[in-house]
Amino acid sequence: MKLDVLLGLQWGDEGKGKIVDVLSPEYDTIARFQGGPNAGHTLEIGKIKHILHNIPSGIFHKEKVNIIGNGVVLDPIIFQEEVESLKKFGIDVKQNLLISKKAHLILPTHKILDAASEAAKGKSKIGSTLKGIGPTYMDKTGRNGLRVGDIIKGFKEKYSALRKKHEGLLKLYTYEYELDEIENKWFECIELLKEFKIVDSEHLVNKLIKNGKSILAEGAQGTMLDIEFGSYPFVTSSNTICAGACTGLGVSPQTIGEVFGIFKAYCTRVGSGPFPTELTDDTGNRLRKKGAEFGSTTGRPRRCGWIDLVALKYSIMLNGVTQLIMTKADVLSDFETIKVATAYKINGNIVYDFPFETDNNIEPIYIELAGWKKDISNITIPGEFPTELTNYISYLEKELNVPVSYVSVGPKRNQIVKL
Ligand code: GDP
Ligand code: IMO
Ligand code: MG
């Protein structure tokens, strides 16, 4: 059996959580492979809106195994908060969640370092979620990190050594912080973490595949936030692309089956950095309002703009996407016309390949398509789509050269149309 990968093709928040929840019945196991609580994956089930940060989005399917892979960075405090909030809805995370011994821990001082570093950057700040992601991955690659498997023995000493190093680093900043209270809470949560199934997830995942089980790997963030290929330095600190599923779960490239690329029918970004098709006018405000575009993790307003085929083609290439899933089609129902960026004009030249320099001078070249001006949020079969929406999908499929297999028409589980 193969491992399918589901990931975001834009700057995050494409609706990955909802789609993982929709596809989960088709899989035995759902596994997160990178990122941490910078992610906010929303699932609307019945009248309740759940936002997951560390825990995979398959958790509402009680019979499924969920795994937090080695590539993830875990905040024990946020994790416990999620566990408690799921408990209220009858989900006993202890039953069906496994955590990799090799997942790195986010320390309280990682969060403080994140905040101090951002404050020092001033206007050029990344717009980080301030969850300690960058400093934790820095310690991972710098070979100083603490892993979930370390909590079993000799942990206090290892912790103290890393805390001391962080305190030294914090002296480089003029940043006031208070550690005691959050540290106590953190250690309480570490004790609770010991009650979970902590496993050698790479062995487990490979055995599951060998035994014919199906796995859906759930990406966080989006391709344009990838540390290697995103709009650097305005990116996150992990590999959000498909290759990240190999390193973040310990599987070989040959095990990858389908690659589901999720994109919004338009485009958003939260935090700083280039966004060629951003609309700072009334149209952008309409998209934000209709799409309820406010960050799931930080509540910040998301920047909104038209769909960008230059960036999407780049993402599809990097990930080897085999099926596209378009979300938030319903948000465009209000618009007379829909614009699509097909190229960039940079210093008078027409550019089709996503460029190295993205900081200024990019003028998107748009084509305009007719909107559908019709409520589509209750549609369940593609035959009921307005012609203009069918045309929009066909146009994208032709341009992107990958089939669209699902269209999401609202935030709820059942608001999904299989093509
Ligand atoms: P993720 O990080 O990729 O999981 O996405 P987020 O949960 O951060 O943001 C997506 C937002 O859009 C959430 O509020 C979802 O409930 C919502 N959403 C997902 N799919 C759709 C859709 O098709 N239409 C609408 N209107 N909202 C959607
Ligand atoms: P999901 O999984 C959207 C953005 C931040 C910031 C940059 C770096 O919900 O799609 P970090 O906290 O990683 O240091 O922030 O990346 N960012 C996201 N934007 N969705 C996310 O996750 C994001 N995770 C990080 O806003 O610009
Ligand atoms: Mg999100």
Side-chain angles (χ1 to χ4, degrees):
M1 199 48 111
K2 296 268 181 184
L3 173 142
D4 294 344
V5 181
L6 181 150
L7 43 76
L9 297 179
Q10 294 161 324
W11 279 278
D13 303 329
E14 296 89 349
K16 298 174 292 293
K18 175 200 157 151
I19 303 297
V20 169
D21 177 57
V22 166
L23 296 183
S24 287
E26 295 173 30
Y27 294 87
D28 299 301
T29 298
I30 294 86
R32 272 278 304 269
F33 59 88
Q34 46 69 234
N38 49 350
H41 294 180
T42 314
L43 285 72
E44 279 197 36
I45 302 174
K47 287 198 167 62
I48 316 278
K49 191 168 166 170
H50 305 273
I51 302 179
L52 298 168
H53 300 288
N54 293 287
I55 295 177
S57 302
I59 202 72
F60 287 92
H61 299 266
K62 290 184 184 166
E63 69 290 4
K64 308 292 173 186
V65 177
N66 284 262
I67 300 175
I68 295 180
N70 57 278
V72 172
V73 290
L74 185 76
D75 182 330
I77 298 180
I78 297 177
F79 174 71
Q80 284 305 331
E81 285 167 1
E82 279 182 85
V83 170
E84 286 307 313
S85 101
L86 287 169
K87 213 180 262 172
K88 289 187 203 129
F89 298 99
I91 307 291
D92 181 5
V93 178
K94 274 186 199 146
Q95 291 307 312
N96 62 343
L97 179 76
L98 308 171
I99 307 172
S100 171
K101 283 182 190 166
K102 294 192 171 78
H104 277 246
L105 289 166
I106 301 177
L107 272 57
T109 37
H110 282 134
K111 284 196 259 195
I112 297 169
L113 279 164
D114 208 359
S117 159
E118 281 284 81
K121 281 195 159 109
K123 271 194 177 154
S124 56
K125 69 174 183 186
I126 308 290
S128 159
T129 59
L130 303 180
K131 302 294 175 197
I133 305 298
T136 306
Y137 278 112
M138 278 163 71
D139 271 335
K140 176 177 179 173
T141 52
R143 295 153 299 173
N144 295 305
L146 291 181
R147 299 182 291 175
V148 171
D150 291 326
I151 66 177
I152 312 299
K153 71 171 197 282
F155 185 61
K156 280 261 162 83
E157 295 74 47
K158 287 179 193 157
Y159 173 84
S160 300
L162 191 51
R163 174 186 155 154
K164 204 166 156 206
K165 179 187 161 241
H166 290 166
E167 284 171 325
L169 286 173
L170 282 163
K171 288 197 181 112
L172 299 172
Y173 300 99
T174 41
Y175 190 82
E176 300 232 341
Y177 61 93
E178 224 290 56
L179 194 52
D180 290 351
E181 200 180 320
I182 179 175
E183 191 174 67
N184 289 338
K185 174 107 199 210
W186 192 82
F187 272 105
E188 275 169 37
C189 294
I190 288 286
E191 284 310 305
L192 293 168
L193 196 57
K194 288 180 183 165
E195 296 169 13
F196 281 80
K197 294 171 188 157
I198 296 172
V199 299
D200 293 299
S201 60
E202 67 280 27
H203 288 294
L204 181 87
V205 166
N206 281 288
K207 276 183 193 144
L208 287 170
I209 295 171
K210 206 170 161 198
N211 294 335
K213 301 288 184 198
S214 54
I215 301 180
L216 181 63
E218 172 181 2
Q221 290 77 56
T223 301
M224 301 309 290
L225 289 169
D226 180 81
I227 182 70
E228 208 76 40
F229 299 104
S231 42
Y232 193 90
F234 302 99
V235 293
T236 191
S237 300
S238 65
N239 280 119
T240 60
I241 58 170
C242 186
C246 293
T247 55
L249 291 172
V251 295
S252 76
Q254 291 95 321
T255 56
I256 308 285
E258 296 296 324
V259 181
F260 298 105
I262 319 285
F263 68 100
K264 277 181 195 173
Y266 48 101
C267 196
T268 65
R269 168 162 209 173
V270 62
S272 328
F275 180 4
T277 61
E278 179 172 16
L279 297 165
T280 50
D281 58 3
D282 189 47
T283 310
N285 291 336
R286 274 173 72 196
L287 283 171
R288 184 175 311 105
K289 195 159 173 233
K290 184 86 202 300
E293 294 295 356
F294 294 88
S296 314
T297 297
T298 59
R300 292 177 291 178
R302 294 179 184 140
R303 301 154 65 192
C304 298
W306 295 119
I307 200 163
D308 180 345
L309 297 192
V310 181
L312 265 183
K313 283 177 185 172
Y314 185 55
S315 295
I316 289 168
M317 173 188 85
L318 294 169
N319 290 302
V321 172
T322 61
Q323 296 186 43
L324 289 165
I325 299 177
M326 182 166 87
T327 60
K328 304 196 101 163
D330 54 303
V331 175
L332 293 185
S333 290
D334 253 11
F335 292 80
E336 288 287 344
T337 53
I338 295 163
K339 287 196 187 179
V340 178
T342 55
Y344 298 153
K345 197 171 184 182
I346 305 176
N347 300 326
N349 300 316
I350 306 294
V351 171
Y352 294 96
D353 290 340
F354 197 79
F356 176 79
E357 299 269 12
T358 43
D359 41 0
N360 49 28
N361 273 336
I362 293 185
E363 188 195 323
I365 313 274
Y366 290 109
I367 61 136
E368 240 173 79
L369 298 175
W372 41 93
K373 296 287 282 171
K374 212 179 264 171
D375 180 13
I376 57 165
S377 58
N378 293 315
I379 289 180
T380 52
I381 50 166
E384 288 174 3
F385 278 160
T387 316
E388 294 85 353
L389 173 56
T390 307
N391 289 346
Y392 188 48
I393 297 165
S394 307
Y395 173 76
L396 294 176
E397 285 183 321
K398 193 169 129 279
E399 283 295 310
L400 300 171
N401 205 17
V402 183
V404 175
S405 51
Y406 291 90
V407 174
S408 175
V409 294
K412 300 205 180 305
R413 254 183 186 173
N414 58 353
Q415 289 180 299
I416 190 86
V417 180
K418 190 170 183 173
L419 303 194

